Amino acid sequence: MAREFDRNILIMLVAIMVGVIIITYFAADIQKRAQIATLTSEHISEISIIEGKNINFTNNFLQSSVLLDSAREDRAYGNYHFDIALLFYNSALSEKNSSTFSLYTSRTIDNCTSAMENYLISHLNFLSAKSFFNGTKKYTNYEQYLELLDIYEGLTGSGARLTMLRYNASQYLKYLAENLTLVDGNVGFLTNVTDLMNLFNETMDLYEQESNVYNDYKKELSEYDIKGFDPIRHTYDS
């Protein structure tokens, strides 16, 4: 009887130990699964944030680029009309025939007006592009991309200054053309335009200086293009 009793106790103790082990295993497994679920949820959230930053970075960069291309295109049209206006103006200064003189001054005024319209649109697009390039920085902390965005921001800022300087120069040239007169084969001005001429020349000098700054930014960008900048690639290091 004693042996049978001891055996029953042993069996019961073993069963209890097995039960404890099983319960402990399941408890640990449940806890581990809960941890995995939490980590998975956190990773999904982090991935979602990173993907969102990448998408926003790409969208903002592309929108900035579109605005920059538009600004450059309108600036090119403005330059074309300004160059034509300046050519007609200089031709009018040496013209003796009244009909041809009137044609030249009229063409000068018309092209100055067109140039001003293009420069103003270009100026606004340069400013918008600069704002978008600056805003794009918050979607990346990749050092090379931040440096490149700084260059784009500098380029668009310089472009905005260039177009406004040429807008002013076009306006001064238009005023000069409107004051031109031809009397007895001699070209002159209806009023004293000394101050206006000085403003025009000063603005053209400032334009040349700013043009050097703009070209320096373009050179920096060309060097970065060689390195291969791709806004679709990795943009955010968590």
Side-chain angles (χ1 to χ4, degrees), residues 122-140:
S122 178
H123 175 76
L124 295 175
N125 280 330
F126 270 123
L127 289 179
S128 295
K130 179 181 179 183
S131 178
F132 271 99
F133 279 125
N134 182 59
T136 304
K137 293 178 183 178
K138 64 184 177 184
Y139 299 117
T140 183

Side-chain angles (χ1 to χ4, degrees), residues 109-215:
I109 294 169
D110 290 343
N111 277 280
C112 282
T113 300
S114 296
M116 290 167 65
E117 292 173 354
N118 288 127
Y119 284 136
L120 181 58
I121 295 172
S122 178
H123 175 76
L124 295 175
N125 280 330
F126 270 123
L127 289 179
S128 295
K130 179 181 179 183
S131 178
F132 271 99
F133 279 125
N134 182 59
T136 304
K137 293 178 183 178
K138 64 184 177 184
Y139 299 117
T140 183
N141 60 7
Y142 190 37
E143 185 175 352
Q144 183 182 1
Y145 288 4
L146 290 172
E147 290 176 355
L148 186 56
L149 289 169
D150 282 338
I151 298 174
Y152 270 111
E153 193 175 354
L155 177 75
T156 48
S158 180
R161 292 189 293 273
L162 274 179
T163 47
M164 185 49 61
L165 285 169
R166 266 294 173 87
Y167 176 91
N168 292 338
S170 300
Q171 190 173 50
Y172 298 146
L173 185 60
K174 180 180 178 181
Y175 291 158
L176 287 169
E178 290 173 342
N179 272 277
L180 277 179
T181 182
L182 181 65
V183 179
D184 297 330
N186 297 315
V187 177
F189 293 97
L190 296 173
T191 60
N192 189 335
V193 294
T194 302
D195 291 340
L196 187 58
M197 184 64 74
N198 288 337
L199 285 172
F200 176 79
N201 291 331
E202 289 172 4
T203 302
M204 292 296 287
D205 289 340
L206 291 173
Y207 177 86
E208 290 301 320
Q209 295 174 26
E210 189 61 45
S211 183
N212 292 330
V213 175
Y214 183 84
N215 289 330

Side-chain angles (χ1 to χ4, degrees), residues 49 96 109 124 237:
I49 292 173
K96 303 298 183 181
I109 294 169
L124 295 175
D237 295 329

Side-chain angles (χ1 to χ4, degrees), residues 2-16:
R3 288 182 178 179
E4 186 175 350
F5 177 76
D6 291 340
R7 187 179 66 180
N8 290 338
I9 292 177
L10 179 60
I11 292 172
M12 183 176 64
L13 290 174
V14 171
I16 292 172

